[in-house]
Amino acid sequence: MKIAVIGGAGVRTVIFINGLLKRYKKLHIDEVVLYDIQEEKQKIIEKLCKHVVERNHEELKVWAVSDPVEAITGADYIVTTLRVGGDHSRVVDETIALDLGVIGQETTGVGGFSMAVRTIPVLIEYCKLIKKYAPDAWIFNFTNPSGLVTQALRSAGYDKIIGICDAPSSTKFRMAHDLGVEEDNLYVEFFGLNHLSWIRSVKKKGEEILPELLADDAFLQGVQEFSMFDPELLRSIGFLPNEYLYYYYHREKALENIQKSGATRGKTIENVNIHMMDELKHMDIDADPEGALQIFLYYMQVRENSYMSIESGLAKRPLLEKGQLEVPDGMGYAGVMLDCIEGMQSEEGKYLVLSVENNGSIPGLADEDVIETTCLVSKDGIQPVKVEEVPEHCYLLIRLIKMYEKLTVEAVKNHSKETAVQALMLHPLVNSYSLAKQLVDKYDEVYGGIFH
């Protein structure tokens, strides 16, 4: 079987390949083809990926192409992981928002709106190629904002698409580590939307333990995702939160921390990537592939170390030196995708958190609304768990953000600035017509008339 990665020059591709090495034979994967419009960066990432395969003495074929049709043709699974406009566009998105006193985070904030508006038309063109050259392929969308983009592609008629995000799986991993149990012995059930979800059930070896976890301050402080929240808040809502709810529940703190830091998350990542690629471009990777990999791993460590630290004000973790760094073992979006493929090939199935159509899972939402929820994935298909009852405070926020997403999709489809303003006006992190209008006008101006 063949996997195609559209956006293959992304830095996470190396980690994706490493994660695949332990499972490619079991999953019947023979080759991975990388495609990206950034050809120089693609060549560097391709060399690092091939070295990761060779240093593990594996047989997986990894290669890069410059033609998207060649990458897509005959693929069984396709990963879409794009950043339309490059790293600097994220800096622009976040800065425009901050200049108007609004959080510009690239998925939850208005930066996500701008990224979606740029990205959706490009991904729809790729989906047209996929429909023509690999009509039976499953598409795993990791392009941010994942839930909104997946909604757009589903609404455009592409039904073999799954939105994936590594936040829930990373949270479960850290919860299991803190509790001293194997992940397989811990059931963690999410519901909501991408980057707007809650954990409504935690079962250790079949026994419900969520109430005792909410009462345990040491646990709440010991898991990174929960440590940034006020424990009293979590006890009052009765759920454990997706970390991105921090932007809603502690909005003024997040905004103040970002403004005080003098650098957005996007600017931090842009600088990390610039320094990393500059070092890699100026060395002979063929002569010293392990040295190049160590440089890559060091900068990936710097990148991950800064995650949510600016917004939350939490201390950064200490850095390890270059030379002995290990390649992460497939955690992240790669792990989610591979778990999903494994589930699709199995009789018993696997429980995974995915962005899929609602189909009656959350009451009150349309069947075609894309939600992020725990699903049972097996040869019989993808079945979202049934959420019998949603507290009103969660339901209102879900409905509001879902309406924002659908209006954004409509605005892109119809090139309508008016609909775009309506979408942002509804977003809780904007919540103002005049601010929404300024933001849409600014993004439209900077990106050359995206609504014309």
Side-chain angles (χ1 to χ4, degrees), residues 48-67:
L48 293 175
C49 289
K50 287 182 173 179
H51 174 60
V52 165
V53 174
E54 289 164 4
R55 79 202 285 260
N56 285 280
H57 310 291
E58 295 292 349
E59 301 165 359
L60 180 68
K61 183 181 179 184
V62 181
W63 51 296
V65 297
S66 57
D67 177 11

Side-chain angles (χ1 to χ4, degrees), residues 71-83:
I72 290 164
T73 301
D76 300 280
Y77 306 106
I78 297 171
V79 180
T80 53
T81 173
L82 310 181
R83 183 170 295 284

Side-chain angles (χ1 to χ4, degrees), residues 257-274:
N257 286 335
I258 295 168
Q259 289 172 330
K260 278 195 308 187
S261 75
T264 66
R265 166 78 173 158
K267 186 62 180 174
T268 302
I269 287 178
E270 181 185 38
N271 287 339
V272 168
N273 287 348
I274 286 171

Side-chain angles (χ1 to χ4, degrees), residues 387-405:
V387 182
E388 302 297 336
E389 187 178 348
V390 178
E392 193 73 5
H393 64 90
C394 298
Y395 183 64
L396 290 172
L397 196 49
I398 290 170
R399 284 289 302 271
L400 191 58
I401 294 299
K402 180 48 64 179
M403 189 171 181
Y404 148 76
E405 289 184 353

Side-chain angles (χ1 to χ4, degrees), residues 109-121:
V110 296
F113 163 85
S114 179
M115 186 173 181
V117 168
R118 293 194 310 278
T119 302
I120 290 166

Side-chain angles (χ1 to χ4, degrees), residues 186-380:
L186 195 68
Y187 174 79
V188 182
E189 186 175 302
F190 288 78
F191 76 99
L193 307 177
N194 178 236
H195 288 186
L196 188 93
S197 61
W198 297 264
I199 296 171
R200 65 192 292 268
S201 175
V202 182
K203 292 178 180 175
K204 184 170 71 173
K205 298 181 180 178
E207 179 186 350
E208 182 61 60
I209 60 170
L210 179 59
E212 63 187 75
L213 295 181
L214 286 167
D216 186 347
D217 280 352
F219 170 79
L220 297 178
Q221 284 301 308
V223 178
Q224 176 186 317
E225 285 84 347
F226 311 141
S227 64
M228 63 188 82
F229 293 89
D230 185 327
E232 291 304 314
L233 163 70
L234 305 188
R235 286 192 269 270
S236 71
I237 64 176
F239 295 135
L240 292 169
N242 179 295
E243 62 211 295
Y244 286 85
L245 284 167
Y246 180 82
Y247 294 104
Y248 296 93
Y249 291 151
H250 294 295
R251 180 180 61 185
E252 80 292 346
K253 287 184 181 179
L255 182 60
E256 182 184 359
N257 286 335
I258 295 168
Q259 289 172 330
K260 278 195 308 187
S261 75
T264 66
R265 166 78 173 158
K267 186 62 180 174
T268 302
I269 287 178
E270 181 185 38
N271 287 339
V272 168
N273 287 348
I274 286 171
H275 290 307
M276 176 174 72
M277 295 312 296
D278 187 58
E279 279 200 48
L280 291 173
K281 284 175 186 175
H282 288 89
M283 71 176 296
D284 186 343
I285 297 177
D286 294 322
D288 185 13
E290 183 62 27
L293 180 63
Q294 287 298 317
I295 288 170
F296 166 82
L297 292 172
Y298 176 78
Y299 282 107
M300 286 300 291
Q301 179 189 207
V302 173
R303 175 190 174 117
E304 293 306 311
N305 193 38
S306 69
Y307 180 65
M308 290 293 283
S309 64
I310 292 173
E311 298 91 335
S312 66
L314 295 176
K316 295 180 181 179
R317 296 175 295 282
L319 294 173
L320 302 175
E321 293 295 322
K322 295 177 193 173
Q324 301 297 319
L325 294 170
E326 292 296 324
V327 187
D329 63 0
M331 278 287 290
Y333 85 89
V336 182
M337 176 192 169
L338 299 175
D339 281 341
C340 194
I341 293 173
E342 186 174 331
M344 288 172 162
Q345 296 179 6
S346 71
E347 296 286 349
E348 66 279 7
K350 296 176 77 78
Y351 281 103
L352 302 169
V353 181
L354 305 169
S355 286
V356 296
E357 287 192 335
N358 181 45
N359 288 329
S361 172
I362 297 179
L365 295 184
D367 283 347
E368 65 271 16
D369 287 347
V370 171
I371 62 170
E372 183 178 84
T373 192
T374 298
C375 304
L376 179 61
V377 182
S378 70
K379 280 185 173 179
D380 295 328

